Amino acid sequence: MTVKGTYFQNDPERPLVYGDVEIKNVKRQRLRGEELKEGLLCEPVLVGFCGTDNELMHMGSEGRLSAKFPEGENRLINGHEGIVWVPDENRFAIVLIRGGDSYDPTRYTEDETYFEYGCDKADGLFADKQYFNPDMLLKIPDGYVKDGKLDLEFAKKMVFPDPYACMLFQLERMEDLGSAHNFRVAMKKYKCDEQTARVKAKEEVFDRTVIFGLGTTGMFIGDLICRNHKDAKVLFVARSSEDSPKVKFALRQANEGYSKEHAGEAAKENGWNTQAEYLQNVYDSEEELAKAIIEKMGGRATLFIGVSGSNVEHRIAFEHRVLGCNGVYNSFSLGPKITFDTMPFGFENHLIMGSINFRQDHMEKAIELLAKSRYNEIVELIDRDEFAADPIGAYKNKIYSKSAPMKTAVIWNPKYIR
């Protein structure tokens, strides 16, 4: 079947193209042990643009995309964030992006394989029609469809379940590793049994959390930490001005419902009036920035989350000693290399973690939480005709430009939007 859509290819001049593209109904499995199933034909309704899309375009211009193409193809239809209409089932759905021959998509091993719609080995949502595994079409909450049309403000929130699910997994991993990393210290400190100590260590890893970078992933993980750990203190660090809409929105989300009276001991000791605060990087040197972070936090970090995509992250954490003894470093940036001096690294007992995945339960929880959120406020729309006329220009000059909104989406099929 031939449809209109955008696709990536290896081409130095035209790595992203809009036009006729053939789609195929490839049998896929959601998890290892499940049967291969033909896809249901769906119609994408509203689709969001992700930083991964921009990175894939650059890879195509450099001829490095071949491993990402579906089997037998020399192109990849992109798009992995959005909502679709399923004609055979007369409903809207969110596509669970990640599947394959693995028991757990967050822990695939050497003998297992995976695919990601719109990212890796499987075509995605930026097309008039597309096939998706029926087990990977997740339900949306009730109340957002009227007369067969989807509420626009709800639909805008549904460009985020993929990255929000990633952050739910990150939260889970940091809780697991923080507890395992430091429970023996907690046993000695509180003179308690192992089970009690593991609970305390799970909480204390968030005592002084630095989130280095403030894109949507940084915003989401800060929000989730504050929602789930009332004793946590979070410091966002980025270059945006303190009065920018992005910073104000992030702090409002993280501090919603917080009061000093209900703060835990760690919050009171640090003297913060809110659960999350912001530090603008206006410093001439990394040393000055590191000093300012430590002073603002009231001590070295128990947890450092790198989401800026820059090499500054690891230098601030390790070279300039922002990450404290027994601290956890969560690397969520794609691209930067992490280096550290093995002497202080070993003696200060640092733990480095990194993983970028999620499971279906993370995605379903993300949909539930986002439906009740205000994240639609940070999504701006680009006209489909404008995007289709010059997709590369739209990427460079609007969607991923320095003046770009936090998130851009496109209504791909307006007949389904109310």
Side-chain angles (χ1 to χ4, degrees):
M1 178 184 295
T2 300
V3 298
K4 293 288 186 182
T6 64
Y7 57 90
F8 291 122
Q9 60 183 1
N10 285 322
D11 189 304
E13 302 298 328
R14 301 176 71 240
L16 176 61
V17 176
Y18 176 85
D20 289 337
V21 60
E22 184 180 357
I23 61 171
K24 299 176 181 177
N25 196 351
V26 179
K27 288 186 176 181
R28 301 190 185 279
Q29 64 185 142
R30 183 184 60 159
L31 293 171
R32 176 167 283 200
E34 297 183 356
E35 66 176 296
L36 290 164
K37 291 187 177 181
E38 289 190 348
L40 288 180
L41 190 62
C42 301
E43 299 176 35
V45 177
L46 186 144
V47 191
F49 298 89
C50 172
T52 301
D53 297 318
N54 197 36
E55 178 62 23
L56 290 172
M57 185 179 74
H58 290 305
M59 290 175 66
S61 68
E62 297 169 357
R64 299 187 290 113
L65 265 184
S66 298
K68 300 286 187 181
F69 296 149
E71 185 176 356
E73 302 289 351
N74 61 0
R75 54 78 205 126
L76 171 70
I77 298 174
N78 61 310
H80 59 278
E81 299 177 349
I83 195 162
V84 302
W85 172 252
V86 190
D88 287 355
E89 298 181 349
N90 195 37
R91 69 181 179 97
F92 293 99
I94 304 294
V95 181
L96 176 64
I97 297 303
R98 190 178 181 89
D101 185 25
S102 62
Y103 293 112
D104 182 341
T106 68
R107 300 290 199 283
Y108 74 92
T109 61
E110 293 82 0
D111 68 331
E112 297 177 340
T113 60
Y114 72 93
F115 68 87
E116 291 184 338
Y117 286 119
C119 291
D120 211 333
K121 306 178 184 68
D123 287 330
L125 280 75
F126 276 114
D128 289 342
K129 296 182 180 181
Q130 189 57 270
Y131 294 100
F132 300 108
N133 183 309
D135 296 332
M136 299 174 70
L137 294 169
L138 306 183
K139 294 181 179 179
I140 67 170
D142 294 333
Y144 298 103
V145 178
K146 184 177 181 180
D147 299 327
K149 294 194 174 185
L150 189 67
D151 178 74
L152 174 59
E153 295 308 311
F154 169 78
K156 287 162 70 174
K157 299 173 188 178
M158 292 302 108
V159 300
F160 291 123
D162 177 305
Y164 205 83
C166 280
M167 293 303 103
L168 283 165
F169 175 54
Q170 293 298 305
L171 180 68
E172 176 184 284
R173 287 280 283 163
M174 289 184 291
E175 291 172 339
D176 291 349
L177 293 174
S179 176
H181 186 49
N182 287 323
F183 79 90
R184 295 190 183 278
V185 176
M187 285 177 68
K188 299 293 185 180
K189 179 180 178 181
Y190 297 107
K191 297 180 174 57
C192 60
D193 60 84
E194 180 178 326
Q195 183 176 358
T196 302
R198 285 184 180 273
V199 173
K200 288 184 176 295
K202 172 182 172 180
E203 293 296 323
E204 289 183 351
V205 72
F206 300 104
D207 276 359
R208 292 185 299 278
T209 300
V210 173
I211 299 177
F212 201 88
L214 191 53
T216 51
T217 51
M219 183 181 296
F220 290 159
I221 196 59
D223 182 3
L224 285 169
I225 289 171
C226 291
R227 283 175 183 269
N228 290 276
H229 298 276
K230 295 304 181 185
D231 214 17
K233 298 309 304 177
V234 169
L235 180 65
F236 295 107
V237 181
R239 293 189 176 277
S240 301
S241 64
E242 292 186 34
D243 61 354
S244 69
K246 175 170 69 173
V247 173
K248 288 182 176 179
F249 186 89
L251 291 176
R252 183 180 67 174
Q253 286 296 113
N255 289 317
E256 196 172 64
Y258 178 86
S259 69
K260 188 70 174 180
E261 290 72 24
H262 295 94
E265 290 305 315
K268 293 173 182 175
E269 288 173 7
N270 289 334
W272 289 34
N273 295 317
T274 54
Q275 194 168 11
E277 294 197 6
Y278 179 72
L279 179 67
Q280 183 182 4
N281 181 7
V282 293
Y283 300 92
D284 295 328
S285 68
E286 293 175 4
E287 291 87 350
E288 291 175 289
L289 173 59
K291 182 180 178 181
I293 293 173
I294 294 171
E295 288 180 353
K296 186 81 169 176
M297 291 293 293
R300 294 169 70 191
T302 55
L303 175 65
F304 190 105
I305 305 172
V307 288
S308 73
S310 72
N311 282 308
V312 177
E313 296 174 349
H314 73 96
R315 294 197 297 268
I316 293 293
F318 297 115
E319 290 181 29
H320 303 295
R321 306 183 72 238
V322 166
L323 185 63
C325 291
N326 305 309
V328 176
Y329 184 96
N330 182 351
S331 173
F332 196 77
S333 291
L334 291 176
K337 294 183 179 180
I338 298 173
T339 61
F340 52 86
D341 186 336
T342 55
M343 182 70 78
F345 175 79
F347 277 97
E348 294 192 346
N349 196 35
H350 289 149
L351 171 65
I352 297 176
M353 60 165 285
S355 48
I356 304 177
N357 296 308
F358 57 85
R359 299 186 304 272
Q360 180 172 335
D361 61 307
H362 294 134
M363 192 83 163
E364 290 169 337
K365 183 65 174 178
I367 293 169
E368 175 189 337
L369 292 173
L370 287 165
K372 302 171 185 176
S373 78
R374 293 191 293 260
Y375 282 111
N376 55 301
E377 295 176 16
I378 62 172
V379 179
E380 295 187 17
L381 300 175
I382 185 172
D383 182 74
R384 173 175 169 167
D385 291 339
E386 177 187 355
F387 172 61
D390 183 11
I392 294 177
Y395 269 41
K396 291 181 177 180
N397 303 320
K398 189 166 186 178
I399 301 169
Y400 300 109
S401 68
K402 288 185 177 181
S403 60
M406 283 204 70
K407 191 71 172 182
T408 304
V410 58
I411 298 176
W412 201 259
N413 199 327
K415 75 176 183 181
Y416 293 115
I417 291 292
R418 174 169 55 86

